[in-house]
Amino acid sequence: ILAPKRSRNNEARKIAIYLSRILGEQTLDQIASTFGNMSDSAVGNMVQKIEQGLQSDKQFKNRIDGIIENVINAKWKVEI
Protein backbone atom coordinates (compact mmCIF):
# COMPACT_ATOMS: atom_id res chain seq x y z
CA ILE A 1 0.00 0.00 0.00
CA LEU A 2 2.85 2.41 0.78
CA ALA A 3 5.01 1.52 -2.23
CA PRO A 4 5.30 4.45 -4.65
CA LYS A 5 5.14 2.24 -7.75
CA ARG A 6 1.77 0.70 -6.91
CA SER A 7 -0.98 0.96 -9.47
CA ARG A 8 -3.00 4.14 -9.11
CA ASN A 9 -6.14 2.00 -9.53
CA ASN A 10 -5.39 0.13 -6.30
CA GLU A 11 -8.59 0.48 -4.25
CA ALA A 12 -6.91 -0.49 -0.97
CA ARG A 13 -4.34 2.29 -1.45
CA LYS A 14 -7.07 4.86 -2.14
CA ILE A 15 -9.02 3.76 0.93
CA ALA A 16 -5.88 3.92 3.07
CA ILE A 17 -5.23 7.46 1.83
CA TYR A 18 -8.83 8.44 2.58
CA LEU A 19 -8.65 6.97 6.09
CA SER A 20 -5.33 8.72 6.70
CA ARG A 21 -7.02 11.99 5.87
CA ILE A 22 -10.17 11.58 7.94
CA LEU A 23 -8.80 9.60 10.88
CA GLY A 24 -5.12 10.50 10.94
CA GLU A 25 -5.41 14.27 11.13
CA GLN A 26 -2.64 14.58 8.53
CA THR A 27 -2.29 17.25 5.89
CA LEU A 28 -2.51 16.34 2.22
CA ASP A 29 1.23 16.99 1.92
CA GLN A 30 2.03 14.65 4.82
CA ILE A 31 -0.12 11.90 3.30
CA ALA A 32 1.50 12.39 -0.12
CA SER A 33 4.92 12.04 1.48
CA THR A 34 3.90 8.92 3.42
CA PHE A 35 2.47 7.16 0.37
CA GLY A 36 5.28 8.35 -1.87
CA ASN A 37 5.66 9.78 -5.35
CA MET A 38 2.44 11.77 -5.41
CA SER A 39 1.38 15.38 -4.98
CA ASP A 40 -0.90 16.81 -2.36
CA SER A 41 -3.43 17.60 -5.11
CA ALA A 42 -3.43 13.92 -6.16
CA VAL A 43 -4.19 12.98 -2.56
CA GLY A 44 -7.03 15.51 -2.49
CA ASN A 45 -8.45 14.08 -5.71
CA MET A 46 -8.36 10.55 -4.29
CA VAL A 47 -10.13 11.67 -1.14
CA GLN A 48 -12.82 13.39 -3.23
CA LYS A 49 -13.32 10.28 -5.38
CA ILE A 50 -13.74 8.10 -2.31
CA GLU A 51 -16.25 10.61 -0.89
CA GLN A 52 -18.19 10.52 -4.18
CA GLY A 53 -18.19 6.73 -4.05
CA LEU A 54 -19.55 6.85 -0.50
CA GLN A 55 -22.47 8.97 -1.70
CA SER A 56 -23.29 6.90 -4.77
CA ASP A 57 -22.64 3.31 -3.63
CA LYS A 58 -24.36 2.15 -0.45
CA GLN A 59 -22.46 -1.16 -0.34
CA PHE A 60 -19.13 0.70 -0.62
CA LYS A 61 -20.21 3.12 2.13
CA ASN A 62 -21.14 0.22 4.42
CA ARG A 63 -17.74 -1.37 3.82
CA ILE A 64 -15.86 1.86 4.59
CA ASP A 65 -18.04 2.54 7.64
CA GLY A 66 -17.17 -0.96 8.90
CA ILE A 67 -13.45 -0.31 8.42
CA ILE A 68 -13.72 3.01 10.26
CA GLU A 69 -15.61 1.37 13.11
CA ASN A 70 -12.94 -1.34 13.39
CA VAL A 71 -10.14 1.24 13.43
CA ILE A 72 -11.87 3.34 16.08
CA ASN A 73 -12.59 0.29 18.24
CA ALA A 74 -9.01 -0.94 17.90
CA LYS A 75 -7.65 2.50 18.81
CA TRP A 76 -9.95 2.68 21.82
CA LYS A 77 -8.78 -0.75 23.05
CA VAL A 78 -5.12 0.28 22.73
CA GLU A 79 -5.63 3.48 24.72
CA ILE A 80 -7.13 1.71 27.74
Side-chain angles (χ1 to χ4, degrees):
I1 291 176
L2 295 177
K5 297 294 182 185
R6 291 261 187 210
S7 167
R8 296 299 181 231
N9 293 325
N10 185 325
E11 185 179 69
R13 178 181 171 91
K14 291 177 184 177
I15 291 169
I17 288 169
Y18 172 75
L19 295 175
S20 295
R21 180 65 174 157
I22 65 164
L23 298 176
E25 300 176 2
Q26 296 181 341
T27 66
L28 296 177
D29 192 46
Q30 290 170 324
I31 296 168
S33 177
T34 299
F35 283 86
N37 198 27
M38 55 190 323
S39 67
D40 58 345
S41 62
V43 171
N45 288 336
M46 284 187 192
V47 170
Q48 284 182 334
K49 286 185 182 194
I50 293 292
E51 289 173 342
Q52 290 170 355
L54 293 172
Q55 291 176 359
S56 64
D57 185 341
K58 186 175 181 173
Q59 188 176 23
F60 181 66
K61 181 180 181 343
N62 290 339
R63 196 162 44 122
I64 299 303
D65 287 346
I67 293 169
I68 291 170
E69 185 176 330
N70 287 336
V71 169
I72 290 171
N73 287 339
K75 182 178 178 183
W76 181 79
K77 289 178 184 176
V78 170
E79 290 178 355
I80 291 181

